[in-house]
Amino acid sequence: MFDTTVAPSQAARPQQHSASLDMADLLVAYLEQLGIDYVFGIPGGAIEPLYNAIARNQRRGGNLSHIVARHEAGAAFMADGYARETGKIGVCVATSGPGATNLITAVATSYGNDVPLLVITGQPALPSFGKHGLQESACTGIDVMAMFRHCTRYNSLVSHAMQLEWKLITALQHAMRAPRGPVHLSVPVDVFRAPALQQKPTYDLNALLQPAELVDDGAIERLRQMLADSRKVVMLIGGACGDAIHAILQFAVLKGATFVTTPDGKGLVSPQHPLYRGVFGFGGHAAAEMALRDPEVDMILAIGCSMGEWNTGGWNASLLNERLVHIDESEEHLARTPMARAHLRGSLLPIFTRLVERTHQVRRDAVIEFERRRTARTLDAIDWEPDSMLDSAAAFTSDAAPVKPQRLMRELSLMFPPSTRFFADAGNSVAWAAHYLQPHDRRLGERRLEEGPAQRKRSAGRRRSNGGWLRLTSHFAPMGWAIGAAVGTAAANPDVPVVCITGDGSMLMSGQELSVAVAEQLCVIFVVLNDGALGMVKHGQRLGGGERIGYALPPTDFAMLARSLGGQAFTIRSPADLEALDMQAICNHPGPTMLDVHIDGEEVPPMASRLRVLLDDGA
């Protein structure tokens, strides 16, 4: 709704800025400088000058576009997915008042998962502050600034046009340095409309935001010596390892170290890698915990791990002990492992690049040469089948109807090309995907579906994704995140299929964002685990001995819902229905597809670590 508190003379001003820039134009110019493709949001009176500036920029031939979400939380989830795919900052915008408050849950999600966002909200004109104007939400109204303070890395009201440029730069620097996360600027409508103080950006943001290469050579050498002295090493690979994963895996092979991953790190590796021993943490594998508990292991390298409940198996002592060496760029993460034998803070890529280089350099030493031969023998002797670590191999191949969720994960693993981005939503979807989803790598597995030529758009100059093939949100984990994040990823990279695995509860909560994929013609495959329940609530109550209450959902035809929003849809009641799908056509369809999969709701997801924490009474 447009803000009626703006004075008539101010309301007329947008017609007067065709020739010169206003402050909203300057903000758009900075977003263009960063190579941002999309702003995600919903228009409204207080934010309208920013949309006007985007429109003017498009008329001038600019590349910045906008995508209108159906709810502001969906916009921030989309920006989150965009940031994970591109490595750039995600941008979401909302008007004042309820537009801003609707963002908060999604912004808090990015804060909890260290995803960089620029969050821009509007405000009524400054002269109207304190007069109880419509949707007033600065310090004199419903104070959204106070609300954002606790879920952003930087949070400021721009109270004068002269502040916008330097506050924007300060915010972006906070967003992109470790620990990364969302930043918030709230801009009154008259500040947006004020004439720009200069006609083009003063600063080169790409230079200012270039990450510092944090490396302590002495600490790396001490770590290398510790590694050389160790008998057996296991590595825990976390979600922050994306840009360093090739160097990390190269080091694992050189050292002959088996590795496990956190749930959010699983998508960075191939499940077929001979040194891989599964997921440790929520939805994880017994094989991963066994690898950490091995009495012969005298060093555990935890790399890029935030060390929260979900990626430590509920703070499991098999990981958090004196054998641990924690390597991370974030001091906040390192502070969570006071029991560790050693800590190393720095950028992961240069750390592991140097470890690999120095390991090669010292191999002329006889001891290291012996280690190299031992490593070669270890790799040659490995006979490892990924299926062997699954909790329920029988359900993984079951032909039963309704579909076993384990079998669904198996089919999804086989159906899609290696370039597919999988998203798993909060709840049972994460548990099933973390444990059972294991698509074949380009190099180590076979492809069942060839990539088609669908939607070849704007791929030139796009940064390679470091987000991995499986993406999820831990820590602050809201239902419905994956629905918006999948749309944002598909917008960022329309050349690959995007698969969103979500529950019926999440789809009822946030499923309207499918309409965005229809409007933007984005290839997103929504896979709904339809069991008529809030599944994690149901199973948590049963396993924990709680009252069985509040989990049931009415029967819902999600295929019909998707068609009503303009998408195509299929109802899946058996594995045969899955196998009958023409996945080549689905992956080349210019728009979303819903797979409404009726699953066996009595199958218990792998959620033991979560249950242990819930029953622990906070000890």
Side-chain angles (χ1 to χ4, degrees):
M1 180 175 288
F2 286 90
D3 181 3
T4 58
T5 65
V6 179
S9 60
Q10 294 171 318
R13 290 188 67 175
Q15 303 299 321
Q16 302 170 10
H17 287 292
S18 58
S20 61
L21 296 178
D22 61 22
M23 296 309 294
D25 291 303
L26 184 63
L27 175 56
V28 167
Y30 271 117
L31 297 181
E32 281 252 294
Q33 189 186 93
L34 290 174
I36 303 297
D37 305 292
Y38 293 106
V39 169
F40 302 90
I42 296 179
I47 200 70
E48 195 66 22
L50 181 57
Y51 278 85
N52 292 338
I54 293 171
R56 290 192 292 270
N57 180 67
Q58 290 177 330
R59 285 199 300 272
R60 293 191 295 266
N63 291 322
L64 182 67
S65 187
H66 68 91
I67 289 180
V68 179
R70 305 303 178 249
H71 187 278
E72 285 87 355
F77 289 148
M78 291 173 199
D80 181 299
Y82 176 91
R84 294 181 192 231
E85 176 63 25
T86 62
K88 303 175 185 178
I89 192 165
V91 182
C92 57
V93 304
T95 193
S96 57
T101 57
N102 280 348
L103 286 171
I104 288 177
T105 294
V107 172
T109 303
S110 297
Y111 181 84
N113 291 272
D114 299 343
V115 177
L117 299 186
L118 174 61
V119 182
I120 302 170
T121 60
Q123 289 289 352
L126 282 163
S128 71
F129 276 26
K131 296 181 179 180
H132 204 55
L134 179 66
Q135 298 180 344
E136 182 181 346
S137 52
C139 52
T140 56
I142 301 298
D143 193 351
V144 300
M145 302 306 299
M147 297 180 194
F148 276 106
R149 183 179 305 136
H150 304 288
C151 60
T152 54
R153 304 292 180 193
Y154 180 87
N155 174 51
S156 186
L157 173 71
V158 180
S159 59
H160 193 283
M162 291 181 65
Q163 297 178 349
L164 180 61
E165 191 172 35
W166 67 262
K167 283 192 172 182
L168 172 66
I169 291 164
T170 302
L172 292 171
Q173 288 176 322
H174 279 80
M176 298 302 286
R177 74 185 183 202
R180 295 171 182 84
V183 294
H184 172 232
L185 293 178
S186 195
V187 187
V189 66
D190 52 337
V191 173
F192 265 138
R193 290 174 177 160
L197 304 178
Q198 66 272 347
Q199 294 300 298
K200 61 181 180 180
T202 305
Y203 301 95
D204 179 359
L205 284 182
N206 289 302
L208 283 173
L209 300 179
Q210 190 69 25
E213 194 172 272
L214 298 173
V215 177
D216 183 338
D217 284 320
I220 292 175
E221 179 57 28
R222 289 191 293 273
L223 174 60
R224 190 203 61 76
Q225 188 58 54
M226 290 169 61
L227 287 161
D229 294 340
S230 64
R231 299 186 310 275
K232 189 173 184 179
V233 177
V234 174
M235 299 164 60
L236 174 65
I237 295 175
C241 293
D243 63 347
I245 191 61
H246 297 294
I248 291 170
L249 293 181
Q250 186 179 4
F251 177 77
V253 172
L254 285 172
K255 183 65 181 174
T258 55
F259 63 86
V260 300
T261 73
T262 61
D264 54 343
K266 178 179 180 178
L268 301 175
V269 306
S270 166
Q272 285 75 40
H273 196 292
L275 294 173
Y276 175 62
R277 292 297 177 270
V279 171
F280 179 75
F282 183 79
H285 303 100
E289 186 165 348
M290 288 174 58
L292 293 175
R293 288 190 180 277
D294 183 348
E296 294 186 9
V297 171
D298 57 353
M299 184 182 291
I300 300 170
L301 283 186
I303 310 157
C305 304
S306 59
M307 295 300 184
E309 175 191 334
W310 274 31
N311 51 29
T312 62
W315 305 286
N316 196 308
S318 63
L319 170 67
L320 301 179
N321 56 60
E322 68 282 354
R323 298 177 300 163
L324 179 66
V325 174
H326 191 183
I327 306 172
D328 204 283
E329 192 175 3
S330 168
E331 290 178 342
E332 287 186 16
H333 297 170
L334 295 175
R336 298 184 184 124
T337 54
M339 76 298 294
R341 174 181 171 186
H343 295 89
L344 177 55
R345 179 174 181 251
S347 303
L348 300 182
L349 179 57
I351 286 173
F352 278 88
T353 298
R354 283 164 171 74
L355 281 175
V356 168
E357 291 170 351
R358 293 184 186 184
T359 301
H360 280 300
Q361 288 169 3
V362 300
R363 275 206 159 168
R364 288 167 296 192
D365 184 290
V367 174
I368 303 299
E369 181 61 24
F370 168 77
E371 181 182 281
R372 185 192 66 79
R373 293 194 298 269
R374 183 186 67 182
T375 298
R377 289 196 300 270
T378 299
L379 289 172
D380 289 342
I382 286 175
D383 183 19
W384 180 253
E385 289 294 333
D387 291 5
S388 66
M389 58 187 170
L390 303 180
D391 281 359
S392 179
F396 194 58
T397 56
S398 172
D399 291 329
V403 180
K404 300 287 187 185
Q406 301 92 325
R407 175 64 187 272
L408 174 61
M409 295 302 116
R410 178 178 183 269
E411 291 305 308
L412 294 177
S413 300
L414 296 170
M415 285 177 172
F416 293 97
S419 61
T420 302
R421 276 58 163 152
F422 289 94
F423 284 77
D425 223 333
N428 284 359
S429 301
V430 167
W432 293 123
H435 194 93
Y436 288 98
L437 196 67
Q438 48 184 34
H440 289 261
D441 184 81
R442 287 182 184 275
R443 296 155 295 169
L444 298 174
E446 297 178 357
R447 295 173 63 181
R448 185 163 145 184
L449 173 68
E450 293 299 318
E451 293 179 65
Q455 304 182 39
R456 303 297 181 190
K457 298 191 283 184
R458 294 199 306 178
S459 58
R462 182 181 292 119
R463 187 181 303 183
R464 182 180 63 82
S465 170
N466 292 319
W469 56 265
L470 174 62
R471 301 170 194 185
L472 51 88
T473 181
S474 55
H475 314 308
F476 201 82
M479 294 167 61
W481 163 82
I483 296 171
V487 172
T489 292
N493 189 355
D495 299 333
V496 300
V498 178
V499 177
C500 172
I501 304 169
T502 189
D504 44 4
S506 292
M507 185 55 65
L508 289 170
M509 187 179 290
S510 300
Q512 71 278 352
E513 304 304 340
L514 183 146
S515 170
V516 179
V518 172
E520 300 296 328
Q521 296 188 326
L522 299 174
C523 180
V524 183
I525 297 93
F526 294 95
V527 181
V528 179
L529 279 59
N530 191 345
D531 60 356
L534 300 173
M536 185 153 289
V537 175
K538 178 178 78 172
H539 291 293
Q541 290 172 352
R542 291 181 179 181
L543 294 172
E547 297 290 343
R548 300 185 182 185
I549 183 173
Y551 64 80
L553 298 173
T556 305
D557 188 337
F558 289 100
M560 181 181 292
L561 177 62
R563 293 187 193 104
S564 73
L565 293 172
Q568 69 172 358
F570 302 89
T571 300
I572 307 298
R573 300 185 183 277
S574 69
D577 292 338
L578 279 170
E579 293 177 348
L581 294 171
D582 184 347
M583 295 310 302
Q584 185 78 54
I586 288 173
C587 288
N588 286 321
H589 177 66
T593 300
M594 171 78 76
L595 303 184
D596 182 7
V597 185
H598 291 257
I599 64 167
D600 183 349
E602 295 307 305
E603 288 292 320
V604 180
M607 54 183 291
S609 67
R610 176 62 177 152
L611 198 64
R612 282 200 303 268
V613 172
L614 287 173
L615 298 177
D616 193 18
D617 293 329

